[in-house]
Amino acid sequence: MNHVNIVSFGYGHAPAPQADITIDTRRHLRNPHHNPDMRELTGLDPAVRRHVLDTTGARCLIRHTAVCVTDLLNGLPRSPVLVVTIAIGCVGGRHRSVALAEELAAILREHGIGVQLAHRDVTKPIIQRTG
């Protein structure tokens, strides 16, 4: 059965995992870490997820990624198991990457695509600014 593995991660904890598609959110999406009320939360929390998804371009990025993945799965030769891995990264792996991974997984599931979702760094310590 064809399915998608989605992993959120933080570049500040370890290199990006091996993936077919990697999305780097560090430069273009608002960072909830900068808001003291959201710093201790994660992309699993509704307020953080809304904050990230309300960033200009965030929802469009996820919709287009979902379309590309669907096209990829439909266009590849059928095999007993076809897995497409998508990695979504931010600095700490707690906010932006988690929110986008959750949203992408929901969209793909709505389209009948099997999804396995993992948040590699969501429970790791918050990365503090230095200097």
Side-chain angles (χ1 to χ4, degrees):
M1 177 179 164
N2 298 347
H3 70 273
V4 176
N5 287 338
I6 301 173
V7 59
S8 70
F9 69 96
Y11 287 96
H13 292 290
Q18 185 174 357
D20 302 297
I21 299 169
T22 302
I23 299 171
D24 183 345
T25 69
R26 293 176 292 181
R27 291 184 14 195
H28 300 291
L29 297 182
R30 290 187 299 179
N31 189 351
H33 177 84
H34 297 146
N35 180 331
D37 294 333
M38 289 191 237
R39 187 168 297 144
E40 298 291 330
L41 302 176
T42 73
L44 299 172
D45 293 289
V48 172
R49 191 166 172 179
R50 274 190 309 276
H51 180 82
V52 171
L53 293 174
D54 286 346
T55 302
T56 301
R59 292 179 194 274
C60 184
L61 171 65
I62 292 305
R63 281 194 312 272
H64 284 285
T65 302
V67 168
C68 289
V69 169
T70 301
D71 288 350
L72 180 63
L73 289 173
N74 290 333
L76 291 173
R78 296 290 178 215
S79 64
V81 177
L82 174 65
V83 179
V84 174
T85 300
I86 302 167
I88 304 175
C90 60
V91 174
R94 296 176 50 89
H95 298 108
R96 294 169 288 184
S97 62
V98 173
L100 291 183
E102 289 284 333
E103 185 71 8
L104 179 58
I107 291 170
L108 293 173
R109 287 175 178 140
E110 286 174 6
H111 288 93
I113 296 172
V115 176
Q116 289 185 332
L117 178 59
H119 300 298
R120 185 186 80 181
D121 301 325
V122 74
T123 60
K124 291 188 178 166
I126 295 171
I127 294 176
Q128 301 297 331
R129 288 185 172 187
T130 56

